[in-house]
Amino acid sequence: MLKTAGAAALGIPAAYGVSSSPAAAQSRPRFEGKDTPKICLEAGLGGAAPGVSPDEAAAAAARRIRQLGVDHVLSGGPRIPWEESRLRDMMDRHKSNGLTLANLMISGFPNAIYNRSGKDADIEKVIQSIKAAGKVDLPVVEYNWYAHRAMEGYFEETGRAGAGWTGFDYERMKDLPPLEEEGAHTLDEMWTNITYFLKAVVPEAEKAGVRLALHPNDPPAPISRGSQQIMGTIDGWKKLVGIVNSPANGITFDCGVTREMAGDPVEVCRWFGSRDRINHVHFRNVKVQKPFERYTEVFIDEGENDMFAVMKELVRQKYTRLIYPEHPRGIDYDRERPNFRSQYPGGGGYAGFAFNVGYTRAMMQAALAS
């Protein structure tokens, strides 16, 4: 009887679709590598303790990140035009602490966004920055193209056991007037402006070996202080990557924003992934009451998105760049830390990110094994 039971037990893994071959098991990657996506966090996560030097603070932040099993980081970039020497210092400093800097956000070119005098000078600064990024082997440069970001619609909601959620309600800001420094812009104007920008910048990014990732409008409000938003619909995302047909002209695929727009994140991931136009990923979850206008950012494990299905599609599309499990929820442990400040109403900090990373890694390991 014992022999029979033992033989049956050995057969259980095969019955559940798991190979009993040691070679087959070893061939599947379980952790991030060159052929898998890479979980990332923001450099400097957790803040600095008082009275420590910048080098000590950077080393402590890197330890906190690496203790979560994360080896890649992203960051906001310096003022443009970027200089090769400064970027190299940034890359080397992170490397000395065991981290790889793989995405920098570029900003500071409003004249190009709004088609004002000086737009060509702005674009030239962006091109110089991209060339510098290529020289230090920075693979991705992320950017935004907001006429206005509709953050006035954010407010805090209460989630499980009193945790913080981030709500958005278009009714709170839909009648706000344009800001003097931004003005009001039509969709046609914004498409004209970014077309001019992309035709100048993307060829230079190709030469530099750098991929651009445009983040969608988030929140995807229909009108934001009098302006329409080019990245406020999935059709807009598709139009963008068709302006200049190049892997260097890609998007930040945000599965949370996709759901806010009533899109299916798996289908959208497949469309852009099959064309190699996903250059960065934001991995988060939401509950939507009214597409585009009323939604709630919730814990990564409790929203409407099937996060495992999204991760499986990323793996299926052989996506190998960064995945950022962003927008942690506000939990008491973070809120009780001295000097804690949330980036968004209802948002969290290091402990919230630890939860997101653990969940994301479980999804990734399961997807890689499936």
Side-chain angles (χ1 to χ4, degrees), residues 109-115 122 144-147 185 189-190 193:
F109 42 95
N111 296 323
I113 294 174
Y114 299 122
N115 191 29
D122 274 5
N144 289 306
W145 200 270
Y146 294 112
H185 304 272
E189 288 174 11
M190 296 302 289
N193 298 351

Side-chain angles (χ1 to χ4, degrees), residues 228-352:
Q228 294 176 289
Q229 308 282 15
I230 61 170
M231 292 292 280
T233 66
I234 294 168
D235 283 343
W237 301 4
K238 293 178 178 179
K239 180 174 180 177
L240 176 98
V241 299
I243 292 174
V244 180
N245 185 18
S246 166
N249 178 30
I251 66 164
T252 294
F253 167 60
D254 188 319
C255 56
V257 178
T258 305
R259 182 63 66 183
E260 293 162 16
M261 297 174 174
D264 180 335
V266 175
E267 291 181 2
V268 172
C269 178
R270 184 177 301 125
W271 195 94
F272 286 93
S274 64
R275 291 162 174 79
D276 193 19
R277 296 299 182 270
I278 298 178
N279 290 342
H280 185 49
V281 170
H282 284 181
F283 199 67
R284 62 180 181 85
N285 218 334
V286 294
K287 293 181 179 180
V288 179
Q289 294 79 43
K290 184 178 181 181
F292 302 94
E293 297 188 21
R294 178 69 181 92
Y295 61 84
T296 306
E297 299 183 21
V298 298
F299 281 96
I300 196 170
D301 65 329
E302 64 177 351
E304 296 172 12
N305 284 341
D306 183 339
M307 303 303 287
F308 183 44
V310 174
M311 185 65 77
K312 284 197 295 185
E313 191 60 38
L314 286 166
V315 170
R316 187 177 295 116
Q317 296 300 329
K318 296 180 171 55
Y319 175 76
T320 61
R321 284 168 285 280
L322 300 187
I323 293 180
Y324 183 25
E326 60 161 4
H327 294 196
R329 298 296 90 227
I331 58 178
D332 290 349
Y333 184 87
D334 284 325
R335 291 166 163 172
E336 292 164 358
R337 298 307 94 190
N339 304 316
F340 169 72
R341 290 184 180 179
S342 167
Q343 186 177 4
Y344 298 98
Y350 178 78

Side-chain angles (χ1 to χ4, degrees), residues 119-180:
K119 68 178 181 181
D120 289 328
D122 274 5
I123 290 173
E124 182 55 35
K125 290 178 182 178
V126 172
I127 290 173
Q128 290 180 40
S129 302
I130 290 170
K131 289 179 177 178
K135 290 177 181 176
V136 300
D137 295 323
L138 179 74
V140 174
V141 171
E142 192 175 11
Y143 67 111
N144 289 306
W145 200 270
Y146 294 112
H148 176 80
R149 188 174 186 187
M151 294 183 70
E152 298 91 338
Y154 281 138
F155 65 102
E156 181 168 348
E157 295 190 71
T158 301
R160 61 195 186 203
W165 285 346
T166 301
F168 175 79
D169 188 351
Y170 183 53
E171 290 292 325
R172 289 172 170 251
M173 55 82 61
K174 70 176 185 179
D175 296 323
L176 293 176
L179 297 176
E180 183 178 353

Side-chain angles (χ1 to χ4, degrees), residues 18-199:
V18 179
S19 171
S20 59
S21 166
Q26 291 174 5
S27 68
R28 296 193 189 101
R30 292 186 61 244
F31 298 99
E32 291 96 309
K34 67 181 183 65
D35 296 323
T36 77
K38 288 97 175 156
I39 297 172
C40 73
L41 289 170
E42 187 170 353
L45 179 62
V52 302
S53 69
D55 287 345
E56 290 172 326
R63 265 196 318 274
R64 287 190 292 270
I65 291 170
R66 291 173 59 215
Q67 284 171 356
L68 300 180
V70 174
D71 299 318
H72 290 77
V73 290
L74 49 73
S75 179
R79 184 176 179 178
I80 60 172
W82 295 348
E83 297 175 356
E84 179 185 348
S85 59
R86 186 169 182 183
L87 294 188
R88 195 173 298 282
D89 285 345
M90 291 179 67
M91 303 280 283
D92 289 346
R93 187 164 58 250
H94 288 299
K95 187 176 181 180
S96 70
N97 287 319
L99 297 173
T100 299
L101 178 63
N103 180 325
L104 273 183
M105 175 69 75
I106 194 168
S107 60
F109 42 95
N111 296 323
I113 294 174
Y114 299 122
N115 191 29
R116 294 173 178 162
S117 174
K119 68 178 181 181
D120 289 328
D122 274 5
I123 290 173
E124 182 55 35
K125 290 178 182 178
V126 172
I127 290 173
Q128 290 180 40
S129 302
I130 290 170
K131 289 179 177 178
K135 290 177 181 176
V136 300
D137 295 323
L138 179 74
V140 174
V141 171
E142 192 175 11
Y143 67 111
N144 289 306
W145 200 270
Y146 294 112
H148 176 80
R149 188 174 186 187
M151 294 183 70
E152 298 91 338
Y154 281 138
F155 65 102
E156 181 168 348
E157 295 190 71
T158 301
R160 61 195 186 203
W165 285 346
T166 301
F168 175 79
D169 188 351
Y170 183 53
E171 290 292 325
R172 289 172 170 251
M173 55 82 61
K174 70 176 185 179
D175 296 323
L176 293 176
L179 297 176
E180 183 178 353
E181 64 270 24
E182 294 174 347
H185 304 272
T186 67
L187 205 59
D188 285 344
E189 288 174 11
M190 296 302 289
W191 279 121
T192 298
N193 298 351
I194 199 166
T195 297
Y196 186 86
F197 175 85
L198 291 174
K199 288 185 175 180

